[in-house]
Amino acid sequence: MTPEEIRSRYLEFFKKRGHTIVPSASLVPQNDPTTLFTGSGMQPMIPYLLGKDHPEGTRIADSQKAFRSGDIEEVGDNRHTTFFEMLGNWSLGDYFKKEQLAWCFEFLTDPKEGIGLNPQNLYVTTFIGDEKNDLPRDTESEALWKDLFAGKGITAKSVLIGSEADGYARGMKEGERIFFYDSKKNWWSRAGVPEKMPVGEPGGPDSEVFYDFKTPHDKRFGEHCHPNCDCGRFLEICNSVFMQYLKQPDGSFGLLPKQNVDYGGGLERMVMAQTNSPDIIVVNHRPILDYLEKASGKIYGADEVDTRSFRIVADHMKAAVFLIADGVVPSNADQGYFVRRLIRRAVRHADKLGIANAGFAEIVGPVATMYAAAYPEVRAKADEIRKIIATEEEKFRKTLATGLREFEKHAKSGVVDAFLLFSSYGFPLELTLELAAEKGLRVDETKYKSEMEQHRQESRAGSEQKFKGGLADSHEKTIRLHTAHHLLLRALQIVLGE
Ligand code: SER
């Protein structure tokens, strides 16, 4: 199945079960200053999980665009991407564990309405409990999973694991299918484990499903394999969070006004499981790879170093296109900095593949085509996005040559000033690190980070002084547009009323 097929089957499945399908929210969170990007399906749902009535009712489902900036450096292997879609369904004080786990399992295993995975290849995890925070073990989910597997003729044994380290030490035995892990693995909140949650933050135990690719265990990750092992044999494909707690001012956990379900399934990962392909890029970025293969004359998968570059370009450009479609433009601050980083890193790797003159910005085409049905706005804005990317590429190329000369000077002196290379030549840290590594030089990242932080604060303070709401930057053009916006708004108010 293709990503489109799985997405539409998922939405159809939950529509049939009384859910209202809502469109994906923007990658840039609205009215949430705590985070730069929407990195999970539940972020836009926070007010409703906390108890506010959702205008569409108590059963909601969607496919939410998500971007995880923290994973930029991981991209290049066979399983990481920065951009992904999270299939979500929510019960806002409606159904709970019984219906949720049954539907989750039905969707994964049913060949007609779902994606028809072999239940023999599925393993699940649940919350072991947390005595010091007085949070009980989730034996309810354990019992439900036993019944669900029994329905498929599988006797599912459960086992108490504990931490990830315990998992590596113990491994798994024949017949074991339900694994209890601690709060690092089977508790979900935006802040992570219960101790880290601030007062007023919702969270709860969760139950994850893993797909078994049956690849041999790699001992570099730990002695024995277990569902949460990182060797690549098992892939987490979805997570049912039972959002039922709220962190109290005294540090304890009280119940939320409603017992909610927050389910998130990785669309791209479901495609991997459904096609039994351990490579996330090959099954989710095919049209982009086709374009890159044609432009470079190289074949994806033929050479290890090139494959990494293919993956970086494919992921970063998909992410950049979606971010630009949501209104982010390359800049030196906040969200714009990440778009700049994505494009510049992609340009470097596209160069490595040898597509420099074949039209880098044309990659927008295959991305827009892939998502024409689900996200028509990408295609509608394709020309604009192409221009923004081409301009950024051009800017980067102009500074690249002078920046490289400057870098050579640094390299000769033995001290590489990453912040100077960034602020004067637009070299993202990652590029400087890559160049330094090629020469066996060290970069003082702590110094870079503190200088970068100071730079961010200065530019923010600068714009706050001018405008209470703050602007993305304090360039003259931005300020003029901002003022024009105010004048236009005022004119509209005079004509149409407040
Ligand atoms: N909040 C959970 C996650 O992001 C499920 O949606 O994994």
Side-chain angles (χ1 to χ4, degrees):
M1 286 180 196
T2 61
E4 291 68 50
E5 252 178 292
I6 296 182
R7 187 196 301 109
S8 57
R9 275 182 183 228
Y10 176 81
L11 297 175
E12 195 51 41
F13 184 95
F14 280 94
K15 198 170 155 191
K16 262 178 111 172
R17 285 155 185 82
H19 291 65
T20 302
I21 311 303
V22 299
S24 172
S26 169
L27 283 168
V28 181
Q30 312 292 305
N31 308 319
D32 180 359
T34 62
T35 171
L36 285 178
F37 299 106
T38 303
S40 69
M42 60 81 80
Q43 266 164 254
M45 299 296 291
I46 287 281
Y48 312 109
L49 293 167
L50 286 170
K52 189 177 161 193
D53 283 338
H54 194 292
E56 301 291 347
T58 54
R59 296 183 178 196
I60 310 289
D62 72 1
S63 181
Q64 171 66 47
K65 298 175 280 189
F67 175 72
R68 290 196 175 162
S69 59
D71 283 342
I72 290 185
E73 308 297 335
E74 311 287 339
V75 175
D77 65 5
N78 70 350
R79 51 208 285 130
H80 282 93
T81 58
T82 55
F83 174 85
F84 62 98
E85 276 179 79
M86 205 170 234
L87 302 172
N89 63 266
W90 287 272
S91 157
L92 303 169
D94 191 316
Y95 56 87
F96 207 45
K97 295 183 184 178
K98 188 166 187 276
E99 294 86 343
Q100 172 55 30
L101 295 183
W103 286 337
C104 167
F105 195 62
E106 188 183 353
F107 180 74
L108 292 177
T109 56
D110 186 74
K112 285 207 194 75
E113 286 190 61
I115 60 174
L117 301 181
N118 182 349
Q120 291 287 359
N121 294 344
L122 300 179
Y123 291 78
V124 300
T125 63
T126 53
F127 182 51
I128 200 165
D130 176 351
E131 269 176 36
K132 60 184 183 309
N133 285 305
D134 205 12
L135 297 164
R137 177 170 302 163
D138 189 1
T139 49
E140 222 179 316
S141 292
E142 175 197 25
L144 290 166
W145 281 124
K146 282 198 179 199
D147 281 354
L148 290 166
F149 279 107
K152 302 279 179 189
I154 297 171
T155 309
K157 281 192 212 154
S158 57
V159 51
L160 300 178
I161 297 286
S163 69
E164 195 175 4
D166 294 331
Y168 283 117
R170 182 189 179 277
M172 53 202 290
K173 305 204 165 56
E174 191 65 30
E176 292 175 351
R177 215 166 262 282
I178 305 166
F179 297 77
F180 284 96
Y181 284 92
D182 64 15
S183 61
K184 276 214 176 100
K185 291 288 162 196
N186 283 98
W187 176 271
W188 209 94
S189 81
R190 288 182 301 177
V193 292
E195 296 74 59
K196 287 216 172 134
M197 287 165 61
V199 173
E201 183 68 18
D206 67 32
S207 185
E208 303 183 331
V209 181
F210 289 76
Y211 182 79
D212 183 4
F213 283 110
K214 299 197 191 306
T215 47
H217 174 59
D218 182 344
K219 285 207 176 193
R220 276 179 303 175
F221 293 87
E223 186 56 27
H224 300 290
C225 204
H226 61 119
N228 271 307
C229 171
D230 282 325
C231 78
R233 174 179 162 186
F234 291 102
L235 180 74
E236 181 207 330
I237 49 176
C238 64
N239 187 13
S240 300
V241 185
F242 305 112
M243 271 296 170
Q244 52 188 140
Y245 296 105
L246 187 72
K247 185 83 169 254
Q248 305 295 312
D250 67 359
S252 68
F253 290 83
L255 288 180
L256 278 164
K258 291 173 189 162
Q259 304 286 280
N260 310 300
V261 173
D262 156 28
Y263 167 89
L267 172 62
E268 290 78 0
R269 290 178 169 208
M270 288 203 190
V271 180
M272 291 164 78
Q274 213 282 329
T275 55
N276 202 41
S277 157
D279 183 339
I280 193 164
I281 301 291
V282 80
V283 286
N284 290 290
H285 298 70
R286 194 64 250 178
I288 311 175
L289 293 179
D290 287 345
Y291 175 81
L292 295 177
E293 285 183 336
K294 216 169 129 216
S296 67
K298 291 185 170 171
I299 302 291
Y300 177 77
D303 171 274
E304 217 177 293
V305 177
D306 284 345
T307 296
R308 185 164 176 268
S309 291
F310 269 111
R311 287 173 176 158
I312 291 171
V313 180
D315 167 74
H316 286 14
M317 292 313 292
K318 195 195 262 191
V321 167
F322 271 94
L323 285 165
I324 297 170
D326 274 347
V328 185
V329 288
S331 76
N332 275 351
D334 299 331
Q335 286 97 343
Y337 171 69
F338 287 95
V339 177
R340 169 154 288 169
R341 225 170 119 185
L342 291 167
I343 296 175
R344 293 186 173 202
R345 191 168 186 227
V347 167
R348 284 254 306 156
H349 284 276
D351 282 0
K352 286 188 183 180
L353 290 173
I355 70 155
N357 299 317
F360 175 76
E362 296 310 314
I363 300 171
V364 176
V367 181
T369 310
M370 273 182 84
Y371 290 97
Y375 302 102
E377 68 275 15
V378 175
R379 182 177 259 181
K381 292 182 186 168
D383 285 340
E384 191 191 323
I385 299 172
R386 205 178 276 118
K387 272 187 212 135
I388 292 174
I389 291 174
T391 308
E392 182 60 20
E393 180 194 3
E394 200 186 321
K395 269 192 200 159
F396 182 47
R397 290 200 185 284
K398 268 194 200 138
T399 56
L400 192 60
T402 36
L404 281 174
R405 276 201 296 277
E406 179 70 21
F407 175 83
E408 289 304 330
K409 276 195 240 159
H410 290 216
K412 270 207 192 95
S413 75
V415 184
V416 180
D417 186 338
F419 181 72
L420 181 87
L421 285 165
F422 165 73
S423 55
S424 307
Y425 302 96
F427 273 31
L429 173 65
E430 180 267 339
L431 169 58
T432 303
L433 289 175
E434 252 180 48
L435 292 169
E438 280 164 20
K439 295 206 179 288
L441 289 167
R442 221 183 60 81
V443 176
D444 189 344
E445 282 187 63
T446 320
K447 181 168 166 278
Y448 170 85
K449 282 190 183 128
S450 74
E451 286 173 341
M452 191 67 193
E453 189 44 42
Q454 198 181 341
H455 165 79
R456 279 208 188 104
Q457 277 170 12
E458 277 166 12
S459 60
R460 197 167 290 146
S463 58
E464 271 165 7
Q465 272 159 21
K466 292 187 187 78
F467 301 104
K468 212 167 109 241
L471 288 180
D473 58 56
S474 49
H475 298 149
E476 197 198 331
K477 191 173 169 209
T478 310
I479 294 166
R480 277 163 54 194
L481 289 169
H482 184 85
T483 303
H485 163 89
H486 272 296
L487 294 172
L488 177 61
L489 178 65
R490 189 67 200 123
L492 285 168
Q493 285 172 337
I494 289 167
V495 177
L496 301 170
E498 291 288 323

